[in-house]
Amino acid sequence: MEKEPRRLMNYATLAICLVLILLVYATFFQSNDTLIDSWGYRLTNSRSNLSSERINIDADGPQEFLLRRLVRGDDRVRFDFNGFSCHTDVHSEVCVVNKPVRIYSKGLTVYVPYDDQPRLERIVKPYARREDETAMKLVSPVQIVHGNSTIKPPPACNFTHNVTAVVFSSKGFTGNVFHEFNEIIIPLFITTRHFRSRLKFVITDFELWWVHKYNRVLSHLSGYDVINPDDGSVHCFPGAVVGLKYHDNLALNDSDIPGGFSMFDFKNFLKESYNLKINHVSEIRKPVLMLISRHNSRRFLNEDEMVEMMEGLGFQVTRAEPERMSNLDEFAEVVNSCSVMVGAHGAGLTNEIFLPAGAVTVQVVPLAHEWVSTNYFGGPAKAMGVRYLEYKIEPEESSLFDTYGKDHPVITDPESVISKGYYAYRSVYVDGQDLKIKLERFKKILIEAKQILKTSTPSNR
């Protein structure tokens, strides 16, 4: 009889040991967000009264390891050989440096001393839309001076930092929320998430309004204040990344990100950054529909009638106007409380990224907007866990029908206008078109959206 309690105690001890082993494994070997990561961010968020230089959150490893994860193939061979490598593709150019660097605001110069190599100079524009000449004209070049520095030594350090610098521009097409997410925010996440806040952002073409707008994102990716290099100072770092990695429109390729982060992880990061409460659309009792209200072009000319019809279907309707969308800290929460987002093709639909899982985006596709509608918002929605529906207008629903007439090439042959170049296309179809929706026809797509909501259930992920 005495052996029975002892046997039970042995079983309990074994069970406790197994649980401890599993916890240790989860903490140290999980590739994505870990228990340590969550603790690190809680520490970061409580730092408001501390000096930024005193923060010491453990990253995944030493600087060389973290930087090396950003380079592949031949670039990694060069990086291992001399601690410096640059990669250029259609969209972006990224240089990675595992050496002490000096960043001098005068002429935006990054000095990378290396006495065994001849002096080389390279120009990089740190904005992820290299293929677009219009955007890149707005981005200031950063000069990287790499190699022997004995003949012309770099200037002395005014400020010395103990973490990696990440240099990028806040110019380009900022002011448009699609481009802000597409070319800066998502590329920032791709490039820096695995550093676990152990880095400093050096923002060229410094736009204070942009830094304020995205302060929550910046402060969750870095444990330090951002640096405006336009102060005449020399900032010294143990290493640097110049430029941001880019994958596709509002997209992350988890096989090409250190840590294997996906759009699912990025949305969780946004939920944490903006303190979003609703995980799945089934948590919303009465369906809430957000209507993106445009003022300049691609306006809904019968918007009031559309709202009346939507409310008749049982939706609680909230209109999102440009002024309302400018305060992202507040607007992200509003979007997160919505079941359906409806809008004509335009930057406002980027906010679908804040919708809860299982919500529905309905994109109204104006004339000659098929490709951009699908590729900018339709394709990315699925990876966001959002259901996507399209409403392609008929020619009679476009203001162009009345302006040009039903037999004009603008209506019958959009390709003939597109072939004249982007600016000809833009002036007609992007800037010169408004919409008058056929209510009975559009009602069918909203009924479909409502049916999707009824059958939507949380996944086990």
Side-chain angles (χ1 to χ4, degrees):
M1 293 293 292
E2 295 178 359
K3 292 182 179 179
E4 189 63 29
R6 188 177 302 168
R7 186 181 298 113
L8 291 172
M9 185 176 296
N10 289 338
Y11 286 154
T13 302
L14 179 60
I16 291 169
C17 289
L18 287 172
V19 169
L20 288 173
I21 290 169
L22 288 171
L23 285 173
V24 170
Y25 180 86
T27 300
F28 290 101
F29 297 100
Q30 194 170 345
S31 63
N32 288 340
D33 292 355
T34 63
L35 295 172
I36 286 179
D37 188 34
S38 299
W39 169 84
Y41 280 123
R42 285 198 293 273
L43 179 61
T44 304
N45 291 336
S46 65
R47 72 184 190 280
S48 57
N49 295 320
L50 299 175
S51 166
S52 63
E53 290 297 338
R54 283 158 43 204
I55 297 171
N56 186 23
I57 303 170
D58 287 336
D60 280 344
Q63 173 183 271
E64 180 179 3
F65 174 70
L66 297 171
L67 291 170
R68 192 172 186 267
R69 295 176 76 182
L70 291 171
V71 293
R72 301 278 180 96
D74 292 339
D75 295 325
R76 179 170 285 186
V77 173
R78 286 188 286 272
F79 179 82
D80 289 342
F81 177 70
N82 62 18
F84 177 73
S85 177
C86 292
H87 179 78
T88 303
D89 60 28
V90 174
H91 304 289
S92 63
E93 186 169 18
V94 181
C95 292
V96 183
V97 188
N98 184 37
K99 287 178 173 298
V101 302
R102 301 183 185 193
I103 300 178
Y104 185 27
S105 63
K106 187 176 181 180
L108 282 175
T109 305
V110 178
Y111 293 93
V112 187
Y114 191 64
D115 292 341
D116 295 334
Q117 293 285 324
R119 180 184 172 99
L120 297 173
E121 297 182 2
R122 186 183 187 115
I123 298 296
V124 175
K125 288 192 171 185
Y127 182 74
R129 202 173 181 86
R130 228 177 126 256
E131 74 280 14
D132 194 312
E133 291 183 9
T134 303
M136 299 310 285
K137 284 178 181 177
L138 303 170
V139 178
S140 298
V142 174
Q143 182 184 42
I144 300 177
V145 180
H146 175 244
N148 195 306
S149 60
T150 54
I151 299 173
K152 190 177 179 181
C157 301
N158 298 122
F159 300 96
T160 300
H161 310 276
N162 62 358
V163 292
T164 302
V166 175
V167 182
F168 67 93
S169 172
S170 63
K171 201 70 173 179
F173 286 148
T174 53
N176 177 303
V177 69
F178 170 80
H179 292 289
E180 289 166 1
F181 268 91
N182 190 57
E183 286 117 57
I184 303 181
I185 300 302
I186 292 177
L188 260 182
F189 180 86
I190 292 170
T191 308
T192 69
R193 178 61 166 168
H194 69 291
F195 281 86
R196 307 295 192 207
S197 301
R198 288 283 297 165
L199 49 80
K200 275 200 172 190
F201 294 133
V202 179
I203 305 178
T204 67
D205 303 310
F206 191 89
E207 296 281 359
L208 185 59
W209 69 265
W210 186 89
V211 172
H212 285 162
K213 180 177 180 178
Y214 290 102
N215 178 60
R216 292 199 186 186
V217 169
L218 298 173
S219 63
H220 277 74
L221 285 175
S222 169
Y224 303 86
D225 293 335
V226 301
I227 294 176
N228 176 3
D230 191 23
D231 61 0
S233 302
V234 178
H235 291 266
C236 296
F237 298 88
V241 180
V242 182
L244 302 175
K245 294 173 72 70
Y246 177 90
H247 290 166
D248 205 347
N249 293 316
L250 300 182
L252 299 89
N253 176 6
D254 58 8
S255 65
D256 190 27
I257 299 178
F261 299 115
S262 65
M263 178 55 77
F264 178 82
D265 299 304
F266 179 65
K267 286 199 68 172
N268 277 340
F269 166 77
L270 291 179
K271 280 168 56 181
E272 180 184 283
S273 300
Y274 289 97
N275 196 27
L276 305 180
K277 304 297 185 184
I278 300 176
N279 295 310
H280 191 270
V281 72
S282 58
E283 299 168 35
I284 303 171
R285 283 192 169 185
K286 182 178 180 180
V288 180
L289 185 152
M290 173 173 284
L291 179 62
I292 305 294
S293 183
R294 298 180 58 88
H295 288 177
N296 297 322
S297 63
R298 284 156 283 145
R299 298 172 299 164
F300 293 125
L301 299 176
N302 57 338
E303 187 172 297
D304 290 341
E305 290 90 340
M306 290 173 66
V307 170
E308 187 178 342
M309 180 264 288
M310 292 166 174
E311 290 175 339
L313 289 174
F315 287 106
Q316 177 183 325
V317 180
T318 179
R319 300 196 208 198
E321 301 189 352
E323 315 83 64
R324 190 181 183 191
M325 290 188 269
S326 61
N327 186 336
L328 203 58
D329 291 356
E330 295 177 1
F331 189 63
E333 278 193 73
V334 176
V335 177
N336 183 244
S337 68
C338 293
S339 317
V340 178
M341 177 179 285
V342 174
H345 175 79
L349 287 173
T350 308
N351 293 290
E352 68 179 358
I353 208 162
F354 296 114
L355 287 171
V360 181
T361 293
V362 179
Q363 180 171 203
V364 177
V365 182
L367 289 184
H369 277 70
E370 289 81 5
W371 187 90
V372 291
S373 295
T374 299
N375 286 277
Y376 283 17
F377 303 115
K382 184 178 180 181
M384 296 176 191
V386 173
R387 295 292 298 272
Y388 175 75
L389 297 175
E390 256 184 14
Y391 177 83
K392 295 182 181 179
I393 70 163
E394 294 178 343
E396 296 85 354
E397 294 174 275
S398 171
S399 62
L400 298 175
F401 189 85
D402 293 330
T403 302
Y404 290 94
K406 65 176 183 178
D407 297 322
H408 194 279
V410 164
I411 304 298
T412 61
D413 186 19
E415 285 297 327
S416 66
V417 179
I418 295 170
S419 65
K420 295 177 182 178
Y422 172 73
Y423 291 104
Y425 163 78
R426 182 181 180 93
S427 66
V428 175
Y429 296 108
V430 179
D431 298 333
Q433 180 175 196
D434 292 319
L435 313 168
K436 188 172 183 179
I437 301 301
K438 293 181 178 179
L439 299 181
E440 287 302 315
R441 182 169 178 258
F442 190 61
K443 183 188 288 187
K444 296 175 183 177
I445 207 101
L446 294 181
I447 292 171
E448 183 180 353
K450 201 168 183 184
Q451 187 59 38
I452 290 171
L453 296 177
K454 286 180 180 179
T455 58
S456 182
T457 55
S459 67
N460 293 323
R461 184 170 182 179

